[in-house]
């Protein structure tokens, strides 16, 4: 192995050999990415030694912060004891215990845990299970999954097929015959003069109308993030999920709650479906914070009721032939167990509920700035949606430029933000303190002010 401290050489290797997620083909081989080389707590340190607050917690996932020695030790010890077992042929006590611990924390009767490699494979597993179950129940036509515009459910083929971020769909194929998308549920985009109550009614009716239009005999499931995370931290109106679940029950449509982002403390609870949104879904998908991002792992959690109708004497001898080499990986499971232990001992969930009001207060105070169109969030997740024109109608190039400018200013000042085009997304490590929250938003506010100073109201660069 060739090692070097020459980051010009390392950057060259990164450009020549490492295809990154969402790689822009126009820039491939010529990127100047920041290297995050070391980290501790809520901070990452770059190749130049610059220390930055990690506003997105990696990718919504580093819940207990970086550099946790207990997790590193648990990972190392498990690798020594049992680095791998075949989940196809054997069992292992570590993932068995983890499955039990997860089932203890899920709502209702969601007690069957299928381990995956991440969020995308968890969603793929959920959809495959729904299709498999309908085949066994003699309903081979009941396969369509209803999703929503701006939803993000993953990058594998089925998960991407039910994702509704239109700007991600330009050049890749999807299983279009299996997905149906409801209109945007973002209250910020509602018609002028429309009340939240009327908007809520419209969005709930969108679901029932879609089921009736397609036919209940063809609609298998409705998949919904409690908060549409990558779509811009879109928080549907209060009561939306509960009313949607009622419609699903009415028409024999399963409800899949995609909690890849909202579980494991992000909203102050193990899972948000019941505690925050008052629903007990049929299936929950999870990943990210399950291991605090220290190692890949995801899970598809299925209710007893769904399993009971196709198991035992009702199974017809069928096998759910879906799985992964690393399903229930013992090292990943050991990390997840240690993560749960730290959550409980350190009171992480209680801490999130304690500091979230300040986080949301500072977030929404940014609305006072002229280039901020909307702020939204819940718990320790938030989004600042920026604009150049007062009406917020910009082209894609203008929106991207705006997000890049804010990102650059914030990074210069000591903060990593995640620009999703013209939206800056925050989901910091859950251990963040009130002083650090204030520091983070002070930097964000300065970054927005500097960007506003650079830009005229028409988007032209100020002289």
């Amino acid at each position: 192995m060739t090692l070097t401290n020459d980051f010009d050489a390392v950057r060259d290797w990164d450009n020549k050999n490492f295809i990154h997620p969402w790689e822009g083909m126009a820039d491939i081989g010529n990127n100047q990415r920041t290297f995050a080389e070391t980290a501790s707590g809520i901070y990452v340190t770059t190749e130049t030694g610059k220390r930055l607050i990690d506003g997105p917690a990696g990718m919504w996932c580093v819940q207990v912060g970086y550099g946790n020695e207990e997790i590193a030790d648990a990972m190392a010890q498990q690798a020594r004891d049992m680095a791998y077992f075949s989940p196809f042929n054997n069992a292992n006590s570590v993932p068995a215990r983890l499955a039990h611990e997860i089932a203890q924390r899920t709502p209702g009767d969601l007690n069957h845990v299928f381990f995956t490699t991440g969020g995308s494979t968890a969603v793929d597993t959920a959809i495959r299970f729904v299709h498999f179950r309908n085949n066994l129940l003699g309903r081979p036509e009941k396969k369509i999954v209803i999703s929503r515009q701006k939803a993000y459910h993953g990058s594998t083929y089925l998960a991407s097929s039910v994702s509704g971020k239109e700007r991600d769909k330009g050049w890749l194929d999807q299983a279009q015959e299996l997905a149906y998308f409801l209109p945007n549920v973002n209250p910020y985009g509602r018609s002028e003069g429309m009340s939240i109550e009327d908007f809520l009614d419209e969005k709930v009716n969108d679901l029932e109308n879609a089921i009736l239009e397609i036919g209940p005999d063809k609609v298998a499931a409705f998949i919904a993030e409690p908060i549409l995370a990558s779509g811009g931290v879109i928080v549907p109106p209060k009561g939306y999920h509960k009313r949607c679940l009622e419609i699903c029950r009415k028409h024999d449509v399963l409800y899949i709650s995609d909690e890849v982002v909202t579980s494991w403390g992000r909203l102050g609870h193990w899972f948000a479906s019941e505690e925050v949104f008052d629903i007990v879904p049929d299936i929950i998908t999870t990943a990210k914070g399950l291991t605090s991002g220290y190692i890949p792992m995801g899970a598809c959690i299925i209710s007893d009721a769904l399993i009971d109708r196709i198991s035992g004497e009702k199974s017809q001898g069928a096998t759910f032939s879906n799985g992964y080499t690393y399903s229930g990986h013992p090292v990943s499971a050991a990390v997840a167990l240690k993560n749960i232990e730290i959550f409980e001992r350190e009171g992480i969930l209680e801490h999130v509920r304690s500091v979230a009001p300040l986080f949301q207060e500072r977030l929404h105070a940014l609305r006072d700035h002229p280039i901020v169109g909307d702020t939204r969030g819940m718990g320790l997740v938030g989004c600042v949606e920026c604009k150049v024109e007062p009406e917020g109608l910009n082209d894609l190039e203008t929106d991207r430029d705006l997000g890049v400018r804010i990102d650059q200013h914030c990074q210069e000042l000591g903060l990593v933000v995640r620009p999703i085009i013209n939206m800056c997304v925050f989901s910091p490590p859950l251990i963040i303190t009130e002083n650090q929250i204030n520091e983070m938003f002070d930097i964000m506010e300065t970054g927005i002010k500097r960007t506003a100073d650079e830009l005229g109201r028409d988007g032209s660069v100020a002289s």
Side-chain angles (χ1 to χ4, degrees), residues 167 389 392-401 421-422:
R167 285 170 168 173
E389 299 295 340
L393 300 175
N394 303 322
D395 59 38
L396 179 57
E397 184 177 349
T398 301
D399 279 346
R400 287 194 191 280
D401 177 69
I421 308 177
N422 61 321

Side-chain angles (χ1 to χ4, degrees), residues 440-455:
M440 181 175 69
F441 281 109
D442 286 347
I443 293 173
M444 183 70 200
E445 185 169 19
T446 302
I448 289 172
K449 286 179 178 178
R450 289 185 180 181
T451 301
D453 289 342
E454 287 179 347
L455 301 174

Side-chain angles (χ1 to χ4, degrees), residues 147-348:
S147 183
R148 302 175 294 187
Q149 289 181 10
K150 307 298 182 183
Y152 179 73
H153 297 292
S155 288
T156 49
Y157 193 68
L158 284 176
S160 65
S161 294
V162 298
S163 294
K165 292 175 66 180
E166 66 280 0
R167 285 170 168 173
D168 291 346
K169 290 181 173 284
W171 301 97
L172 290 169
D173 294 341
Q174 290 92 31
Q176 296 178 352
E177 73 282 2
L178 295 177
Y180 182 99
F181 295 95
L182 303 177
N184 197 343
V185 295
N186 188 353
Y188 177 55
R190 70 186 187 276
S191 302
E192 186 175 354
M194 177 181 276
S195 68
I196 286 288
E197 292 76 18
D198 287 343
F199 182 74
L200 170 59
D201 289 342
E202 180 183 277
K203 296 302 105 183
V204 173
N205 289 337
D206 285 341
L207 174 59
E208 185 156 35
N209 291 338
I211 293 172
L212 294 174
E213 176 187 331
I214 299 164
D217 59 327
K218 291 183 172 60
V219 178
F222 173 54
I223 186 168
E225 302 159 274
I227 294 174
L228 290 85
S230 293
V233 189
I234 297 170
V235 183
K238 186 175 181 180
Y240 170 81
H241 290 289
K242 187 172 184 178
R243 288 178 61 184
C244 286
L245 179 62
E246 291 169 355
I247 287 170
C248 288
R249 294 284 182 264
K250 176 181 175 182
H251 295 289
D252 191 23
V253 171
L254 299 183
Y255 196 109
I256 303 170
S257 185
D258 184 354
E259 288 220 46
V260 167
V261 170
T262 58
S263 55
W264 306 109
R266 183 55 54 191
L267 302 188
H269 301 276
W270 295 113
F271 294 92
S273 291
E274 185 175 32
E275 296 286 353
V276 181
F277 298 99
D278 197 24
I279 65 168
V280 177
D282 298 292
I283 296 173
I284 289 176
T285 54
T286 187
K288 295 190 184 293
L290 171 61
T291 61
S292 278
Y294 277 69
I295 194 166
M297 192 176 218
C300 172
I301 311 164
I302 304 168
S303 72
D304 294 345
L306 296 191
I307 295 288
D308 288 347
R309 283 193 65 189
I310 59 167
S311 59
E313 294 180 355
K314 304 171 187 175
S315 70
Q316 302 175 54
T319 296
F320 182 47
S321 50
N322 177 81
Y324 310 95
T325 300
Y326 300 120
S327 288
H329 194 285
V331 178
S332 298
V335 169
L337 285 168
K338 181 58 68 173
N339 191 48
I340 291 171
E341 179 188 322
I342 292 167
F343 263 69
E344 292 186 328
R345 188 183 67 241
E346 302 296 332
I348 298 292

Side-chain angles (χ1 to χ4, degrees), residues 91-157:
N92 179 271
S93 61
V94 184
R97 181 184 163 204
L98 176 60
H100 174 71
E101 293 294 335
I102 291 172
Q104 295 294 104
R105 292 162 175 79
T106 49
D109 68 340
L110 280 87
N111 295 316
H112 286 78
V113 182
F114 189 107
F115 287 115
T116 69
T117 56
S120 296
T121 48
V123 170
D124 250 46
T125 295
I127 296 172
R128 294 199 77 194
F129 176 80
V130 169
H131 289 172
F132 167 76
R133 183 174 179 273
N134 280 335
N135 288 339
L136 274 175
L137 294 176
R139 307 185 299 195
E141 301 300 317
K142 197 171 173 66
K143 296 292 172 64
I144 293 175
V145 177
I146 295 177
S147 183
R148 302 175 294 187
Q149 289 181 10
K150 307 298 182 183
Y152 179 73
H153 297 292
S155 288
T156 49
Y157 193 68

